[in-house]
Amino acid sequence: KRYQAFELDAAYLKSRGEYVLGSLNGFFSGLHYFFMEYQEVLLSLLTDPGLIHAMLERLGNWNLTAAEKMVESGADCITFCDDLGSKGSMLISPEMYRAFIKPWHRKLCNRIHEMGATVHLHTHGAIQPILDDLVECGFDFINPFDPEEGWDIEMVLRDYSNQFVTVGGFPTKFWY
């Protein structure tokens, strides 16, 4: 029953020629939105990796099920926010990303692609060290690529435009 209204909304939007997005919270961000304070998540990544894996198992399976239900109900794309960086660096090491978050990103992309839909990742920050990992996961859309976060937009377009759709890239000061 949870997805009946979603299905009605999706059908309406599709009748108007729209591309329908279903939105989730991310895997890394979900840890500090739903389970514990942000600082505790960061500490537990180092001191209690078993706890992090257990939380990710619960959150990850919920996210996968929700994504499947949204696609079954008419979503063309699953989109989610999983901010992994700040302006100057990643929020967790590339090794931690690969050990904890990447397996869930890959599972989500694989499952949604099997169902014939696409996946859009929104993440901020200087995540250059894991860009190839994100490509390996299979994201169809990735954003943003803010020049103030150290991105060479021309390089991203040149080297990755055949891997995913680049979304965004406006410097934050653009709006001022």
Side-chain angles (χ1 to χ4, degrees):
K1 292 184 176 183
R2 169 175 259 174
Y3 295 94
Q4 286 176 342
F6 185 97
E7 189 170 359
L8 291 172
D9 290 346
Y12 171 76
L13 291 169
K14 285 181 180 239
S15 77
R16 299 180 57 92
E18 299 293 334
Y19 188 74
V20 178
L21 304 176
S23 185
L24 291 173
N25 205 304
F27 298 91
F28 177 64
S29 62
L31 293 174
H32 56 87
Y33 287 156
F34 302 126
F35 290 99
M36 62 174 56
E37 294 294 321
Y38 181 72
Q39 296 84 344
E40 290 178 57
V41 170
L42 294 179
L43 285 171
S44 295
L45 283 163
L46 295 168
T47 62
D48 197 352
L51 174 63
I52 297 294
H53 281 297
M55 291 188 306
L56 280 168
E57 187 73 21
R58 175 165 247 156
L59 174 66
N61 287 322
W62 192 95
N63 272 356
L64 290 176
T65 299
E68 290 170 358
K69 294 293 186 189
M70 285 189 275
V71 172
E72 289 169 358
S73 299
D76 298 302
C77 179
I78 298 300
T79 182
F80 67 101
C81 175
D82 223 352
D83 286 339
L84 297 165
S86 66
K87 283 188 177 187
S89 67
M90 291 190 56
L91 299 174
I92 59 175
S93 71
E95 294 75 23
M96 284 184 179
Y97 169 77
R98 292 176 189 121
F100 293 100
I101 308 302
K102 183 178 178 179
W104 290 102
H105 282 170
R106 187 179 301 218
K107 286 178 192 179
L108 177 67
C109 289
N110 288 344
R111 181 63 186 124
I112 297 310
H113 290 153
E114 288 169 4
M115 297 179 75
T118 58
V119 185
H120 175 179
L121 170 66
H122 169 90
T123 181
H124 279 283
I127 58 162
Q128 292 86 337
I130 62 164
L131 188 55
D132 288 331
D133 293 287
L134 299 176
V135 169
E136 288 174 17
C137 289
F139 290 106
D140 301 289
F141 306 89
I142 301 176
N143 85 296
F145 291 95
D146 190 329
E148 293 178 2
E149 294 172 343
W151 287 102
D152 178 345
I153 301 301
E154 290 180 12
M155 178 280 299
V156 171
L157 294 173
R158 181 187 66 240
D159 295 349
Y160 292 97
S161 63
N162 63 340
Q163 305 289 326
F164 56 84
V165 176
T166 303
V167 182
F170 284 108
T172 54
K173 291 183 178 143
F174 173 84
W175 305 109
Y176 301 106

